[in-house]
Amino acid sequence: MQQQLDDPRLWSVASRLMTLYAKTFPGSDGSKAVHWYRMAATAADESGNDEARVWVRGRAAIALGYEGASLGVADVLADQAMAISGRPSLGLLNAVMGKAHTAAIRGDRTTALHLADRGRRIFDKAGSHEQTSDYAVPWWRMNVFLSLLLARLGDERGAVEAQEAARRELPAELPRFTTHLEMPRGLMLARSGDLLGGADYARTALDALPPEKHSLTLRLLMAEIEQT
């Protein structure tokens, strides 16, 4: 690809591949994951394609925010995405929800809920309902985002409602997202004071998956629950 990057369209392709590669590193390892997310943003800028520029930044923001890692970088990339374009898109949705998660982790309930409401409005216009992939955000995936967000805010009722809404439409071919819906229950138990019970609940949910499906994100969520 380096030999063909005089074509702006291929800068866009390169930026998306860099974003994919960044996801293979823990967000807590800022020197690697963040390096590649920033490289992806630079490559997208070279493409001159605002859709790509917003998408790579939004994808980085939701990855880091959901994982609870490199929160400052997640905020910066989300802010950049929102400044580039306010047009409803999957990239903008990811950026807004990623920033909502960083606010929730910091304990800024007002900002987190405001951004979640904005995310819902963007989703109504830009949700990718027809796709089944790690990068699509259909209704069930939006509720996966909300489930963890509300659990981080201590809103048990809202988190459970989001979990139930997601389960109703969760594709059978993506079993690890069932685990994504169970982990917030462990987090809520831990936040309520039952630290051991919360960690045990989350560990049981994680161990129900084959080891090869223990994604990096799930392992980081497990660590967050254990450290609550």
Side-chain angles (χ1 to χ4, degrees), residues 204-219:
T204 299
L206 186 60
D207 289 346
L209 274 179
E212 65 272 15
K213 292 189 179 295
H214 289 195
S215 69
L216 175 61
T217 300
L218 287 174
R219 294 198 300 271

Side-chain angles (χ1 to χ4, degrees), residues 4-227:
Q4 307 294 331
L5 288 178
D6 54 335
D7 181 345
R9 183 179 60 87
L10 289 184
W11 277 108
S12 174
V13 175
S15 70
R16 294 169 192 268
L17 291 175
M18 290 175 185
T19 304
L20 170 64
Y21 187 58
K23 193 67 176 66
T24 66
F25 298 106
S28 54
D29 185 351
S31 63
K32 291 184 179 179
V34 169
H35 168 75
W36 282 99
Y37 284 132
R38 285 175 169 157
M39 288 269 288
T42 299
D45 290 345
E46 290 290 336
S47 76
N49 182 328
D50 281 353
E51 181 182 358
R53 296 174 69 208
V54 173
W55 187 88
V56 298
R57 288 171 167 87
R59 179 62 197 176
I62 190 61
L64 295 174
Y66 191 91
E67 291 173 359
S70 300
L71 302 185
V73 176
D75 272 337
V76 167
L77 292 172
D79 288 340
Q80 289 176 354
M82 290 186 278
I84 290 168
S85 175
R87 184 179 68 83
S89 67
L90 193 57
L92 184 62
L93 173 60
N94 283 329
V96 168
M97 294 306 297
K99 192 172 177 66
H101 275 278
T102 68
I105 292 169
R106 291 190 174 106
D108 186 350
R109 183 182 185 86
T110 299
T111 299
L113 292 176
H114 170 74
L115 289 167
D117 285 342
R118 182 180 176 188
R120 289 184 180 96
R121 292 193 297 272
I122 296 170
F123 173 83
D124 287 342
K125 297 180 179 179
S128 46
H129 307 281
E130 74 289 352
Q131 300 178 28
T132 300
S133 81
D134 277 0
Y135 294 98
V137 185
W139 175 240
W140 66 264
R141 184 69 174 277
M142 183 66 180
N143 278 286
V144 171
F145 292 164
L146 290 169
S147 170
L148 180 59
L149 176 71
L150 295 172
R152 282 170 165 163
L153 292 173
D155 181 353
E156 182 172 347
R157 179 179 177 181
V160 170
E161 287 176 354
Q163 290 159 18
E164 292 174 349
R167 280 195 179 89
R168 286 194 290 269
E169 298 186 15
L170 183 65
E173 60 268 32
L174 295 175
R176 83 173 182 282
F177 282 101
T178 299
T179 310
H180 277 273
L181 294 174
E182 290 295 320
M183 300 296 270
R185 292 178 180 264
L187 178 60
M188 288 186 290
L189 281 171
R191 286 177 56 89
S192 71
D194 186 0
L195 305 181
L196 183 59
D200 285 348
Y201 187 98
R203 175 59 64 187
T204 299
L206 186 60
D207 289 346
L209 274 179
E212 65 272 15
K213 292 189 179 295
H214 289 195
S215 69
L216 175 61
T217 300
L218 287 174
R219 294 198 300 271
L220 288 171
L221 289 178
M222 186 70 236
E224 178 181 346
I225 294 164
E226 291 174 336
Q227 294 166 12

